[in-house]
Amino acid sequence: MSRGELNISRWLEAHSDRSAGLNTFARNAILADVCGDGDFRLVLTDVRLEADKRSRLKVYKGTLLTSDQVLPDIPSSLISFYSDELEPRVPSIAVACGSDLLIYKNNKPFYKFCVPPSPITPLEEETWKRFGEPNCDFAQVMTDLKSVRFNQLSARSQELLTLPPEQVPEYITRFTGLTPLKTSPIVSMTTLNRFSEDKSAIACPVLGTESGIIYILDSQTFTILHQADVCNVRTTPAIIKTAGMFDVEYRIVIACRENSICVLRRGWLEGKSLIQMTEDIVDMVLVPGDNFIVVATASKFLHCYTKRGQRVWSAPVFSPVTCLCLVPLKHLSTHLIAVGLKGGSVHLYHGRQPVDYTNSPDSPSALVFGQLGQEEHVMVVITMAGTINFKILKRTADFNLSNQDKLAAPTLQTKPLPLPKRSKLFIEQSMRERQNPIEMHQSFQEDLVRLRLTAARALVHSLTDQSGAGNAQEEIKLSAQVLGLGPKFTLILTLENMNAEKPIYNFLVVFHAKPSVYKLSTYVVFVPLIPPSLSYKMETKVTEVLTNEGVPQPPQAIRVFVMRKEQANPVLAASINMPPTDMTGLLL
Amino acid sequence: MPEPNPLEKLNWLIHFQHVRGEIVQCKNLIKNEIKRSGGRNEFAYFKQGIILREEGKTQEALESFQTCMKLNPENADAIKQVGKCLYEMRRFRLSLEAYLEAEKVSTCPDWQIYYNIGQCLMRLGETAKSKEYAHKAVQLGKHEAAYSLLIKILTSEGDLRSAISVCNAAIESCPDSVNLLTETGLLCLKLGQTQFAFERLSSALALDPVCAKALLGIGCITQSHDEHDVALTKYKVAVSYEPNSVALWNNIGLCFYSKQKYVAAISCLKRALWISPTNWRVLFNLGLVHLATYQPASAFNFLCAAVNLRPDVPHSFTGLGCALFELNDGENAERAFKQAMALAPDDPVIVVNNVVCLAGMDRKEEAKDLFQKFNSLLQDGVVSKEVVAIAEKLATVFEVDGNDESYKNEESKDVINKSINETDELASGDLSPRELAADEV
């Protein structure tokens, strides 16, 4: 694909409204002929998560907002389906809010279906009966409730157990007499055609709940036609897609939160795990015809699997995928997949090959493709920042699908190796070596031996030298200061705790001096606990022993040992060189 | 009176925002949901843990998962995540315990748990047990990761044949895995099944034309067939994607050496050495290139380092002997040769080099004796043409015994250089695959 071909966009930018302020998730926007007049409208939900605002169901005619209804709760999914064959054909719109399915027809509320509650434990039922009895000891009964596993309780009991004690009686009296229900929210929805593959044929809503149950509903009576578990292990559906017809043979493919993909076929009461992914599934589409499952993962990959779960291909994408959308192109008899990418672009893939891209103002949040108004091929992009963007696919666009083969593997550019230039110095050195290798070798060996000798000497020196007054392992440091001119000196030692976390304790300092030369005021100092990063100062008076004639002796060193109590090895040793006694001072 | 909302009402949204990468919003939502439920929403804690782990805050993530387990001790997923966190913190023993617990709690067999147990066991050095779990994981899941683990265990045990058969089974179930194809190709290469290796690596390259490992393998095969230019083009592509590979630079260096571009060879080998300063193969090759450019003093240093790193390689000693001979240090040269001969007494390359050096040092009798041994070796085994050519030259030298000194010296010097070439040729031949092995780990 050359750049020139890409520059002429295959998409007409029909309309873009940055101030729409929509918060629409994937699978929450559809194109449907809601009025039955052949003029397809865009229906979407606008979600508000704030407690004081309500989510809305909006209908756009062309680019104009024509209907705006408040929803009772946060919607999770939106579908449209035909429920009868009466003329004019008007589809129903269904919104999943919590565990209710709200059905609208002609933009008016039409019916409300509630997911059947799951059974509660007998003990819980019993407790609520007892709450209703007069003179009931709430605290006593609540302990019974606590013995039930928390996630098996109904929402009512769950909330009761989290309430502060003073609100409990009021809360209980609000509900007395009513049996608690344990309902499960609808998390995902889709439709399944009843007996015809036709676009406007009667279809059944398919619901998936948090508890991992799939319901297939009759679109006229809203009774449950079929009910099945997603899988034999606890899995929660996230995305549901269908293929086939309910009355003939069908296949429901469910992408789960636990990163597995399960399949459910006609008559099964339990789905079968088909694929187990190691990364999070962002979105999934089924490609009709081949029955391929295309999955986008959070690790920036598109994977394609057959209906039996074998991987066909994997393709990396440039940035994280936010949503997928199937783009059926009847006139080319093919299906493309639109991939919404973070940062604001939509790439179109034909199989594993990207064939086109188009831009959106920012990261797309929901993508729909289909008929809008009278125009057959429209893509609506609703971005995370709330912009709504309409694009029309040009009728001439054929995506060069016929000459795909020419776009073979990219030709590899062979750059020369990044080798450094041979420097003059390098050449000169090697010439020199070539001329007198033997002398070079010998003088090198000689110098090497000499270096080793010096190193060994330095090592021996440092081993014998005791001057190092620090212990890295114990992280203590000792410094000394000698004050005075003699024969009386003051020796000030500072013991510092270098460790920033641990205090040191059980230490003592021992002085070692020749008694014939120096007399000390103390020979052993017990060090109190030194907190981290602090130091302790200790003072010792040193008196030089003068000979009978009053003549000072040649100065000697006093050795200091820092010991830990009841240990023979000193932690640290140092010798302090004493200054000679100042004779002039003595004479005075 | 309306019933209160169920706790898990917005779990779908938490998951949805997380997988779409809206982490900030997701965290807010989790915070609100935890508050709304009074700290009882298991899934919110679970997702919080996952987000924290992805952000690298493993300790906090672990706490979140533990809260989750407190709320529901039978949540195998949370236990698995705890194991994963502990594994990331490199506390393999604890991680193993967590996964074993998950195995107990989990209602049906889960290949991921087995795979992770296998991985922990391998980290703890219990290979036999690890293999058992890897087998289980493979049987349950037929997943690429599980196969890779099993292959890794078998390779580390040195059981290359079973490793290859596992590889083949793995490729059947994941036919488009570049990693597995490359792995298989390299394993075959190690076993010397060049043709098969070439096929596997080619199919890997068909899927990913810039897979550096596969390019290295293909390059290595072509290089051993003396097609140095073809090998070089492969290496060139690979090196632009993996500029810090020792094996690549080493092999590029040897390609240049074979094309007698010594300066380029030296700079490539030096780059390899700079990346991995204690790689004895690179040091050995550098020594040989320096011998070829008649820089015996440098050669000595490189070979000396190679010998110190791996004192069990006879060829390094041979090279060292040649270098010392050039440096007129006959005594040490002889010691080096003796060591080489002790390590590999029947290697004709070592023997012929020794003969040449002895002849050069004017110790004809010993040289002749050794030459006889060499001739008998020639009859037994297969040797390359160059060794035979040197042998013929040596034979003529020994025949014209009475000739004048200077002529002989000249001749033998020529021979030495050639024989050194020979050593390197061999080295490059078997070096590259071994080099690959080092790179895989």
Side-chain angles (χ1 to χ4, degrees), chain A residues 73 156 159 210 233 257 276 342 365 418 430 433-434 445, chain B residues 3-4 11 20-21 108 111 143 271 293-295 297-298 300:
Chain A
D73 206 340
R156 187 199 289 178
E159 194 165 325
E210 178 80 21
V233 282
R257 258 182 226 167
Q276 295 197 323
K342 203 162 204 173
S365 171
S430 41
E433 191 186 337
R434 253 178 243 200
Q445 291 299 321
Chain B
E3 284 278 332
N11 285 1
R20 277 212 317 191
C108 71
W111 75 269
H143 222 275
R271 181 168 298 201
T293 55
Y294 195 61
Q295 287 174 268
S298 306
F300 169 79

PDB file of all heavy atoms in Angstrom, chain A residues 73 156 159 210 233 257 276 342 365 418 430 433-434 445, chain B residues 3-4 11 20-21 108 111 143 271 293-295 297-298 300:
ATOM      1  N   ASP A  73     -31.451   3.559  35.630  1.00  0.00           N
ATOM      2  CA  ASP A  73     -30.201   3.068  36.214  1.00  0.00           C
ATOM      3  C   ASP A  73     -29.096   3.138  35.150  1.00  0.00           C
ATOM      4  O   ASP A  73     -29.355   3.544  34.016  1.00  0.00           O
ATOM      5  CB  ASP A  73     -30.405   1.620  36.683  1.00  0.00           C
ATOM      6  CG  ASP A  73     -29.453   1.282  37.815  1.00  0.00           C
ATOM      7  OD1 ASP A  73     -28.444   1.991  37.947  1.00  0.00           O
ATOM      8  OD2 ASP A  73     -29.726   0.319  38.544  1.00  0.00           O
ATOM      9  N   ARG A 156     -30.412  -7.392  49.899  1.00  0.00           N
ATOM     10  CA  ARG A 156     -31.023  -6.767  51.081  1.00  0.00           C
ATOM     11  C   ARG A 156     -30.266  -7.167  52.351  1.00  0.00           C
ATOM     12  O   ARG A 156     -29.918  -6.321  53.167  1.00  0.00           O
ATOM     13  CB  ARG A 156     -32.477  -7.229  51.183  1.00  0.00           C
ATOM     14  CG  ARG A 156     -33.243  -6.523  52.257  1.00  0.00           C
ATOM     15  CD  ARG A 156     -34.463  -7.315  52.605  1.00  0.00           C
ATOM     16  NE  ARG A 156     -35.459  -7.275  51.556  1.00  0.00           N
ATOM     17  CZ  ARG A 156     -36.624  -7.952  51.651  1.00  0.00           C
ATOM     18  NH1 ARG A 156     -36.888  -8.681  52.716  1.00  0.00           N
ATOM     19  NH2 ARG A 156     -37.491  -7.903  50.670  1.00  0.00           N
ATOM     20  N   GLU A 159     -26.760  -5.679  52.534  1.00  0.00           N
ATOM     21  CA  GLU A 159     -26.716  -4.291  52.978  1.00  0.00           C
ATOM     22  C   GLU A 159     -26.990  -4.207  54.478  1.00  0.00           C
ATOM     23  O   GLU A 159     -26.363  -3.423  55.190  1.00  0.00           O
ATOM     24  CB  GLU A 159     -27.727  -3.455  52.199  1.00  0.00           C
ATOM     25  CG  GLU A 159     -27.472  -1.974  52.381  1.00  0.00           C
ATOM     26  CD  GLU A 159     -28.203  -1.120  51.347  1.00  0.00           C
ATOM     27  OE1 GLU A 159     -28.324  -1.575  50.201  1.00  0.00           O
ATOM     28  OE2 GLU A 159     -28.638  -0.025  51.700  1.00  0.00           O
ATOM     29  N   GLU A 210     -24.515 -11.499  35.576  1.00  0.00           N
ATOM     30  CA  GLU A 210     -23.327 -11.536  36.419  1.00  0.00           C
ATOM     31  C   GLU A 210     -23.105 -12.938  37.004  1.00  0.00           C
ATOM     32  O   GLU A 210     -21.979 -13.375  37.171  1.00  0.00           O
ATOM     33  CB  GLU A 210     -23.510 -10.510  37.542  1.00  0.00           C
ATOM     34  CG  GLU A 210     -22.391 -10.444  38.563  1.00  0.00           C
ATOM     35  CD  GLU A 210     -21.197  -9.642  38.106  1.00  0.00           C
ATOM     36  OE1 GLU A 210     -21.365  -8.810  37.193  1.00  0.00           O
ATOM     37  OE2 GLU A 210     -20.106  -9.853  38.642  1.00  0.00           O
ATOM     38  N   VAL A 233     -17.442 -24.127  34.950  1.00  0.00           N
ATOM     39  CA  VAL A 233     -16.833 -23.447  36.090  1.00  0.00           C
ATOM     40  C   VAL A 233     -17.427 -22.043  36.182  1.00  0.00           C
ATOM     41  O   VAL A 233     -18.060 -21.558  35.253  1.00  0.00           O
ATOM     42  CB  VAL A 233     -15.293 -23.350  35.966  1.00  0.00           C
ATOM     43  CG1 VAL A 233     -14.665 -24.647  36.320  1.00  0.00           C
ATOM     44  CG2 VAL A 233     -14.888 -22.899  34.600  1.00  0.00           C
ATOM     45  N   ARG A 257     -15.007 -12.690  31.495  1.00  0.00           N
ATOM     46  CA  ARG A 257     -14.079 -11.853  32.262  1.00  0.00           C
ATOM     47  C   ARG A 257     -12.827 -12.633  32.637  1.00  0.00           C
ATOM     48  O   ARG A 257     -11.774 -12.066  32.821  1.00  0.00           O
ATOM     49  CB  ARG A 257     -14.774 -11.452  33.560  1.00  0.00           C
ATOM     50  CG  ARG A 257     -15.302 -10.060  33.521  1.00  0.00           C
ATOM     51  CD  ARG A 257     -15.908  -9.764  34.863  1.00  0.00           C
ATOM     52  NE  ARG A 257     -17.188  -9.146  34.668  1.00  0.00           N
ATOM     53  CZ  ARG A 257     -18.071  -8.995  35.628  1.00  0.00           C
ATOM     54  NH1 ARG A 257     -17.816  -9.438  36.842  1.00  0.00           N
ATOM     55  NH2 ARG A 257     -19.200  -8.401  35.381  1.00  0.00           N
ATOM     56  N   GLN A 276      -8.742 -20.533  25.913  1.00  0.00           N
ATOM     57  CA  GLN A 276      -8.335 -19.865  27.150  1.00  0.00           C
ATOM     58  C   GLN A 276      -7.200 -18.929  26.814  1.00  0.00           C
ATOM     59  O   GLN A 276      -6.159 -19.347  26.338  1.00  0.00           O
ATOM     60  CB  GLN A 276      -7.902 -20.894  28.177  1.00  0.00           C
ATOM     61  CG  GLN A 276      -9.080 -21.750  28.578  1.00  0.00           C
ATOM     62  CD  GLN A 276      -8.842 -22.488  29.858  1.00  0.00           C
ATOM     63  OE1 GLN A 276      -7.739 -22.935  30.120  1.00  0.00           O
ATOM     64  NE2 GLN A 276      -9.876 -22.614  30.643  1.00  0.00           N
ATOM     65  N   LYS A 342      -6.605   3.414  20.697  1.00  0.00           N
ATOM     66  CA  LYS A 342      -6.384   4.504  21.639  1.00  0.00           C
ATOM     67  C   LYS A 342      -5.565   5.582  20.944  1.00  0.00           C
ATOM     68  O   LYS A 342      -4.624   5.289  20.221  1.00  0.00           O
ATOM     69  CB  LYS A 342      -5.627   3.986  22.848  1.00  0.00           C
ATOM     70  CG  LYS A 342      -5.844   4.839  24.053  1.00  0.00           C
ATOM     71  CD  LYS A 342      -5.461   4.107  25.310  1.00  0.00           C
ATOM     72  CE  LYS A 342      -6.224   4.734  26.452  1.00  0.00           C
ATOM     73  NZ  LYS A 342      -6.079   4.022  27.678  1.00  0.00           N
ATOM     74  N   SER A 365     -14.781   5.243  21.610  1.00  0.00           N
ATOM     75  CA  SER A 365     -15.324   4.465  22.717  1.00  0.00           C
ATOM     76  C   SER A 365     -16.342   3.462  22.189  1.00  0.00           C
ATOM     77  O   SER A 365     -16.448   2.349  22.681  1.00  0.00           O
ATOM     78  CB  SER A 365     -15.978   5.406  23.711  1.00  0.00           C
ATOM     79  OG  SER A 365     -16.674   4.700  24.679  1.00  0.00           O
ATOM     80  N   PRO A 418      26.674  -1.075  11.149  1.00  0.00           N
ATOM     81  CA  PRO A 418      27.244   0.106  11.811  1.00  0.00           C
ATOM     82  C   PRO A 418      28.632  -0.185  12.381  1.00  0.00           C
ATOM     83  O   PRO A 418      28.803  -0.284  13.591  1.00  0.00           O
ATOM     84  CB  PRO A 418      26.224   0.411  12.907  1.00  0.00           C
ATOM     85  CG  PRO A 418      25.565  -0.897  13.195  1.00  0.00           C
ATOM     86  CD  PRO A 418      25.624  -1.699  11.936  1.00  0.00           C
ATOM     87  N   SER A 430      48.668  -1.561  15.407  1.00  0.00           N
ATOM     88  CA  SER A 430      48.856  -2.938  14.953  1.00  0.00           C
ATOM     89  C   SER A 430      50.134  -3.070  14.126  1.00  0.00           C
ATOM     90  O   SER A 430      50.801  -4.093  14.189  1.00  0.00           O
ATOM     91  CB  SER A 430      47.623  -3.446  14.204  1.00  0.00           C
ATOM     92  OG  SER A 430      47.117  -2.460  13.370  1.00  0.00           O
ATOM     93  N   GLU A 433      52.881  -3.430  16.543  1.00  0.00           N
ATOM     94  CA  GLU A 433      52.934  -4.757  17.137  1.00  0.00           C
ATOM     95  C   GLU A 433      53.535  -5.764  16.151  1.00  0.00           C
ATOM     96  O   GLU A 433      54.288  -6.649  16.535  1.00  0.00           O
ATOM     97  CB  GLU A 433      51.534  -5.200  17.552  1.00  0.00           C
ATOM     98  CG  GLU A 433      51.589  -6.458  18.408  1.00  0.00           C
ATOM     99  CD  GLU A 433      50.228  -7.024  18.735  1.00  0.00           C
ATOM    100  OE1 GLU A 433      49.253  -6.266  18.695  1.00  0.00           O
ATOM    101  OE2 GLU A 433      50.178  -8.223  19.034  1.00  0.00           O
ATOM    102  N   ARG A 434      53.180  -5.564  14.872  1.00  0.00           N
ATOM    103  CA  ARG A 434      53.694  -6.501  13.878  1.00  0.00           C
ATOM    104  C   ARG A 434      55.207  -6.418  13.782  1.00  0.00           C
ATOM    105  O   ARG A 434      55.873  -7.407  13.524  1.00  0.00           O
ATOM    106  CB  ARG A 434      53.089  -6.177  12.520  1.00  0.00           C
ATOM    107  CG  ARG A 434      52.059  -7.208  12.135  1.00  0.00           C
ATOM    108  CD  ARG A 434      51.458  -6.841  10.845  1.00  0.00           C
ATOM    109  NE  ARG A 434      50.050  -6.590  11.050  1.00  0.00           N
ATOM    110  CZ  ARG A 434      49.164  -6.611  10.054  1.00  0.00           C
ATOM    111  NH1 ARG A 434      49.567  -6.815   8.824  1.00  0.00           N
ATOM    112  NH2 ARG A 434      47.909  -6.401  10.299  1.00  0.00           N
ATOM    113  N   GLN A 445      54.559  -8.243  29.855  1.00  0.00           N
ATOM    114  CA  GLN A 445      54.571  -9.239  30.927  1.00  0.00           C
ATOM    115  C   GLN A 445      55.312  -8.702  32.144  1.00  0.00           C
ATOM    116  O   GLN A 445      54.889  -8.912  33.272  1.00  0.00           O
ATOM    117  CB  GLN A 445      55.230 -10.538  30.444  1.00  0.00           C
ATOM    118  CG  GLN A 445      54.408 -11.296  29.416  1.00  0.00           C
ATOM    119  CD  GLN A 445      53.058 -11.740  29.950  1.00  0.00           C
ATOM    120  OE1 GLN A 445      52.941 -12.139  31.091  1.00  0.00           O
ATOM    121  NE2 GLN A 445      52.035 -11.634  29.125  1.00  0.00           N
TER     122      GLN A 445
ATOM    123  N   GLU B   3     -36.051  -2.760  46.441  1.00  0.00           N
ATOM    124  CA  GLU B   3     -34.967  -3.596  46.973  1.00  0.00           C
ATOM    125  C   GLU B   3     -33.639  -2.869  46.761  1.00  0.00           C
ATOM    126  O   GLU B   3     -33.473  -2.163  45.757  1.00  0.00           O
ATOM    127  CB  GLU B   3     -34.930  -4.918  46.198  1.00  0.00           C
ATOM    128  CG  GLU B   3     -36.015  -5.887  46.571  1.00  0.00           C
ATOM    129  CD  GLU B   3     -35.672  -6.686  47.815  1.00  0.00           C
ATOM    130  OE1 GLU B   3     -34.487  -6.894  48.062  1.00  0.00           O
ATOM    131  OE2 GLU B   3     -36.603  -7.071  48.537  1.00  0.00           O
ATOM    132  N   PRO B   4     -32.699  -3.024  47.683  1.00  0.00           N
ATOM    133  CA  PRO B   4     -31.396  -2.374  47.447  1.00  0.00           C
ATOM    134  C   PRO B   4     -30.673  -3.007  46.252  1.00  0.00           C
ATOM    135  O   PRO B   4     -30.963  -4.135  45.873  1.00  0.00           O
ATOM    136  CB  PRO B   4     -30.638  -2.632  48.740  1.00  0.00           C
ATOM    137  CG  PRO B   4     -31.366  -3.713  49.438  1.00  0.00           C
ATOM    138  CD  PRO B   4     -32.778  -3.709  48.955  1.00  0.00           C
ATOM    139  N   ASN B  11     -19.920  -4.416  38.520  1.00  0.00           N
ATOM    140  CA  ASN B  11     -18.699  -5.187  38.264  1.00  0.00           C
ATOM    141  C   ASN B  11     -18.341  -5.208  36.789  1.00  0.00           C
ATOM    142  O   ASN B  11     -17.177  -5.126  36.418  1.00  0.00           O
ATOM    143  CB  ASN B  11     -18.877  -6.626  38.752  1.00  0.00           C
ATOM    144  CG  ASN B  11     -18.797  -6.715  40.247  1.00  0.00           C
ATOM    145  OD1 ASN B  11     -18.618  -5.696  40.904  1.00  0.00           O
ATOM    146  ND2 ASN B  11     -18.925  -7.904  40.781  1.00  0.00           N
ATOM    147  N   ARG B  20     -10.198  -1.672  28.800  1.00  0.00           N
ATOM    148  CA  ARG B  20     -10.034  -0.608  27.813  1.00  0.00           C
ATOM    149  C   ARG B  20      -8.877   0.311  28.161  1.00  0.00           C
ATOM    150  O   ARG B  20      -8.564   1.245  27.429  1.00  0.00           O
ATOM    151  CB  ARG B  20     -11.305   0.233  27.736  1.00  0.00           C
ATOM    152  CG  ARG B  20     -12.333  -0.377  26.853  1.00  0.00           C
ATOM    153  CD  ARG B  20     -13.170   0.638  26.174  1.00  0.00           C
ATOM    154  NE  ARG B  20     -13.607   1.738  27.028  1.00  0.00           N
ATOM    155  CZ  ARG B  20     -14.540   2.604  26.623  1.00  0.00           C
ATOM    156  NH1 ARG B  20     -15.088   2.486  25.456  1.00  0.00           N
ATOM    157  NH2 ARG B  20     -14.899   3.583  27.416  1.00  0.00           N
ATOM    158  N   GLY B  21      -8.274   0.087  29.332  1.00  0.00           N
ATOM    159  CA  GLY B  21      -7.118   0.892  29.710  1.00  0.00           C
ATOM    160  C   GLY B  21      -7.472   2.221  30.337  1.00  0.00           C
ATOM    161  O   GLY B  21      -6.623   3.101  30.445  1.00  0.00           O
ATOM    162  N   CYS B 108     -12.309 -27.554  39.088  1.00  0.00           N
ATOM    163  CA  CYS B 108     -11.964 -28.422  37.973  1.00  0.00           C
ATOM    164  C   CYS B 108     -10.508 -28.162  37.592  1.00  0.00           C
ATOM    165  O   CYS B 108      -9.969 -27.114  37.908  1.00  0.00           O
ATOM    166  CB  CYS B 108     -12.888 -28.169  36.787  1.00  0.00           C
ATOM    167  SG  CYS B 108     -12.593 -26.606  36.008  1.00  0.00           S
ATOM    168  N   TRP B 111      -5.236 -25.698  33.578  1.00  0.00           N
ATOM    169  CA  TRP B 111      -3.867 -25.836  33.064  1.00  0.00           C
ATOM    170  C   TRP B 111      -2.969 -24.722  33.577  1.00  0.00           C
ATOM    171  O   TRP B 111      -1.777 -24.915  33.780  1.00  0.00           O
ATOM    172  CB  TRP B 111      -3.845 -25.877  31.532  1.00  0.00           C
ATOM    173  CG  TRP B 111      -4.072 -24.551  30.876  1.00  0.00           C
ATOM    174  CD1 TRP B 111      -5.250 -24.042  30.502  1.00  0.00           C
ATOM    175  CD2 TRP B 111      -3.085 -23.585  30.516  1.00  0.00           C
ATOM    176  NE1 TRP B 111      -5.089 -22.811  29.955  1.00  0.00           N
ATOM    177  CE2 TRP B 111      -3.766 -22.505  29.930  1.00  0.00           C
ATOM    178  CE3 TRP B 111      -1.690 -23.520  30.624  1.00  0.00           C
ATOM    179  CZ2 TRP B 111      -3.108 -21.367  29.467  1.00  0.00           C
ATOM    180  CZ3 TRP B 111      -1.038 -22.400  30.163  1.00  0.00           C
ATOM    181  CH2 TRP B 111      -1.744 -21.341  29.595  1.00  0.00           C
ATOM    182  N   HIS B 143      -1.405 -25.402  25.408  1.00  0.00           N
ATOM    183  CA  HIS B 143      -1.143 -23.978  25.282  1.00  0.00           C
ATOM    184  C   HIS B 143       0.338 -23.742  25.032  1.00  0.00           C
ATOM    185  O   HIS B 143       1.166 -24.483  25.537  1.00  0.00           O
ATOM    186  CB  HIS B 143      -1.572 -23.268  26.564  1.00  0.00           C
ATOM    187  CG  HIS B 143      -2.284 -21.998  26.288  1.00  0.00           C
ATOM    188  ND1 HIS B 143      -1.615 -20.828  26.069  1.00  0.00           N
ATOM    189  CD2 HIS B 143      -3.590 -21.718  26.165  1.00  0.00           C
ATOM    190  CE1 HIS B 143      -2.489 -19.889  25.825  1.00  0.00           C
ATOM    191  NE2 HIS B 143      -3.704 -20.393  25.881  1.00  0.00           N
ATOM    192  N   ARG B 271      33.247  -5.765  19.494  1.00  0.00           N
ATOM    193  CA  ARG B 271      31.932  -5.316  19.960  1.00  0.00           C
ATOM    194  C   ARG B 271      31.261  -6.441  20.759  1.00  0.00           C
ATOM    195  O   ARG B 271      30.669  -6.203  21.809  1.00  0.00           O
ATOM    196  CB  ARG B 271      31.065  -4.933  18.769  1.00  0.00           C
ATOM    197  CG  ARG B 271      29.722  -4.455  19.210  1.00  0.00           C
ATOM    198  CD  ARG B 271      28.967  -3.809  18.104  1.00  0.00           C
ATOM    199  NE  ARG B 271      29.637  -2.634  17.607  1.00  0.00           N
ATOM    200  CZ  ARG B 271      29.021  -1.673  16.930  1.00  0.00           C
ATOM    201  NH1 ARG B 271      27.742  -1.788  16.691  1.00  0.00           N
ATOM    202  NH2 ARG B 271      29.671  -0.640  16.475  1.00  0.00           N
ATOM    203  N   THR B 293      46.606 -11.896  11.758  1.00  0.00           N
ATOM    204  CA  THR B 293      47.173 -10.603  11.342  1.00  0.00           C
ATOM    205  C   THR B 293      48.592 -10.421  11.860  1.00  0.00           C
ATOM    206  O   THR B 293      49.130  -9.332  11.853  1.00  0.00           O
ATOM    207  CB  THR B 293      46.318  -9.438  11.842  1.00  0.00           C
ATOM    208  OG1 THR B 293      46.179  -9.581  13.258  1.00  0.00           O
ATOM    209  CG2 THR B 293      44.945  -9.445  11.214  1.00  0.00           C
ATOM    210  N   TYR B 294      49.171 -11.513  12.341  1.00  0.00           N
ATOM    211  CA  TYR B 294      50.500 -11.506  12.932  1.00  0.00           C
ATOM    212  C   TYR B 294      50.637 -10.464  14.039  1.00  0.00           C
ATOM    213  O   TYR B 294      51.477  -9.575  14.008  1.00  0.00           O
ATOM    214  CB  TYR B 294      51.591 -11.311  11.859  1.00  0.00           C
ATOM    215  CG  TYR B 294      52.949 -11.669  12.408  1.00  0.00           C
ATOM    216  CD1 TYR B 294      53.199 -12.952  12.865  1.00  0.00           C
ATOM    217  CD2 TYR B 294      53.960 -10.721  12.518  1.00  0.00           C
ATOM    218  CE1 TYR B 294      54.402 -13.277  13.425  1.00  0.00           C
ATOM    219  CE2 TYR B 294      55.178 -11.036  13.076  1.00  0.00           C
ATOM    220  CZ  TYR B 294      55.393 -12.330  13.540  1.00  0.00           C
ATOM    221  OH  TYR B 294      56.579 -12.639  14.127  1.00  0.00           O
ATOM    222  N   GLN B 295      49.761 -10.554  15.008  1.00  0.00           N
ATOM    223  CA  GLN B 295      49.877  -9.726  16.216  1.00  0.00           C
ATOM    224  C   GLN B 295      49.869 -10.678  17.407  1.00  0.00           C
ATOM    225  O   GLN B 295      48.899 -10.746  18.159  1.00  0.00           O
ATOM    226  CB  GLN B 295      48.706  -8.760  16.310  1.00  0.00           C
ATOM    227  CG  GLN B 295      48.797  -7.624  15.320  1.00  0.00           C
ATOM    228  CD  GLN B 295      47.538  -6.785  15.349  1.00  0.00           C
ATOM    229  OE1 GLN B 295      46.611  -7.016  14.600  1.00  0.00           O
ATOM    230  NE2 GLN B 295      47.501  -5.817  16.242  1.00  0.00           N
ATOM    231  N   ALA B 297      51.283 -10.768  20.244  1.00  0.00           N
ATOM    232  CA  ALA B 297      51.229 -10.276  21.627  1.00  0.00           C
ATOM    233  C   ALA B 297      49.785 -10.071  22.050  1.00  0.00           C
ATOM    234  O   ALA B 297      49.370 -10.470  23.148  1.00  0.00           O
ATOM    235  CB  ALA B 297      52.015  -8.979  21.750  1.00  0.00           C
ATOM    236  N   SER B 298      48.973  -9.476  21.158  1.00  0.00           N
ATOM    237  CA  SER B 298      47.543  -9.299  21.475  1.00  0.00           C
ATOM    238  C   SER B 298      46.858 -10.650  21.524  1.00  0.00           C
ATOM    239  O   SER B 298      46.051 -10.922  22.420  1.00  0.00           O
ATOM    240  CB  SER B 298      46.865  -8.453  20.411  1.00  0.00           C
ATOM    241  OG  SER B 298      47.555  -7.257  20.241  1.00  0.00           O
ATOM    242  N   PHE B 300      48.073 -13.422  22.318  1.00  0.00           N
ATOM    243  CA  PHE B 300      48.400 -14.100  23.575  1.00  0.00           C
ATOM    244  C   PHE B 300      47.445 -13.665  24.678  1.00  0.00           C
ATOM    245  O   PHE B 300      46.908 -14.481  25.419  1.00  0.00           O
ATOM    246  CB  PHE B 300      49.847 -13.793  23.978  1.00  0.00           C
ATOM    247  CG  PHE B 300      50.180 -14.232  25.369  1.00  0.00           C
ATOM    248  CD1 PHE B 300      50.458 -15.575  25.630  1.00  0.00           C
ATOM    249  CD2 PHE B 300      50.180 -13.331  26.419  1.00  0.00           C
ATOM    250  CE1 PHE B 300      50.731 -15.991  26.919  1.00  0.00           C
ATOM    251  CE2 PHE B 300      50.455 -13.749  27.706  1.00  0.00           C
ATOM    252  CZ  PHE B 300      50.735 -15.078  27.953  1.00  0.00           C
TER     253      PHE B 300
END
